[in-house]
Structure formats: structure tokens, C-alpha cells
């Protein structure tokens, strides 16, 4: 049966050799700076998109209200004369 040697192998390595096995702190710093910038750009794009959607919804609502036919119900009603007055 095989035993795990990676743990013991790492324990026997010098600190310099261990450092060479893993990426440097600068690598992670650059990577996270890139992610941070990308997230900020996406947030800005999302805010702009939400603003555009809100403007389009307002225009659509105004247009649909303008296209609705106006009905003058008061002009179309006729007095029947048989309604009781209170």
C-alpha cells in the first residue's frame, strides 16, 4: 500500500525551497487588484444599465398613456329621469 509522502517531503524542505513551490505574495496582490478593478467596473456598468432601464420604462409608460384613447363618459350619459333623488 502506498503512503503519502508529500507531507513528509514538505517538512524536509528548506524555507527557500518551500517559497519556490508557491506563488509569491506579489502574484496574489496583482491578481486581487485586477479582480477589484473588474468588480468596480461591473458595478458601474450595472448602475448605468439600471438607470437606462428606468428611463426606458418611464418613456414606455408615458407613450402607452399617450396612446390610450380618451373617453368622455359625462358626454355619453343620458339622463333617464327615473332615478330617485336623496
Amino acid at each position: 500500500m502506498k503512503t503519502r509522502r508529500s507531507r513528509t517531503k514538505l517538512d524536509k524542505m528548506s524555507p527557500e525551497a518551500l517559497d519556490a513551490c508557491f506563488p509569491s505574495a506579489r502574484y496574489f496582490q496583482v491578481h486581487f487588484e485586477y479582480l477589484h478593478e473588474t468588480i468596480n467596473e461591473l458595478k458601474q456598468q450595472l448602475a448605468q444599465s439600471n438607470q437606462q432601464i428606468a428611463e426606458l420604462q418611464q418613456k414606455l409608460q408615458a407613450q402607452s398613456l399617450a396612446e390610450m384613447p380618451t373617453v368622455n363618459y359625462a358626454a355619453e350619459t343620458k339622463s333617464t329621469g327615473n332615478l330617485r333623488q336623496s
Side-chain angles (χ1 to χ4, degrees):
M1 181 178 256
K2 283 189 173 182
T3 60
R4 294 184 80 180
R5 294 187 185 187
S6 59
R7 185 77 156 153
T8 57
K9 193 175 188 181
L10 290 175
D11 289 338
K12 293 178 182 177
M13 294 177 77
S14 69
E16 294 82 18
L18 278 173
D19 286 343
C21 289
F22 297 101
S24 68
R26 178 73 181 139
Y27 168 82
F28 291 105
Q29 181 181 358
V30 169
H31 180 68
F32 287 118
E33 285 175 1
Y34 171 76
L35 289 176
H36 185 70
E37 290 172 4
T38 303
I39 289 170
N40 283 335
E41 288 173 6
L42 289 173
K43 285 180 180 179
Q44 289 175 351
Q45 290 176 1
L46 184 61
Q48 289 173 347
S49 297
N50 285 337
Q51 180 65 32
Q52 288 177 345
I53 289 171
E55 291 171 2
L56 288 173
Q57 285 177 333
Q58 288 176 347
K59 287 180 183 179
L60 183 61
Q61 186 177 17
Q63 184 181 8
S64 66
L65 289 175
E67 291 178 354
M68 288 181 63
T70 55
V71 179
N72 187 357
Y73 291 108
E76 295 179 6
T77 58
K78 297 178 183 174
S79 62
T80 57
N82 60 358
L83 295 176
R84 288 195 278 177
Q85 294 180 350
S86 343

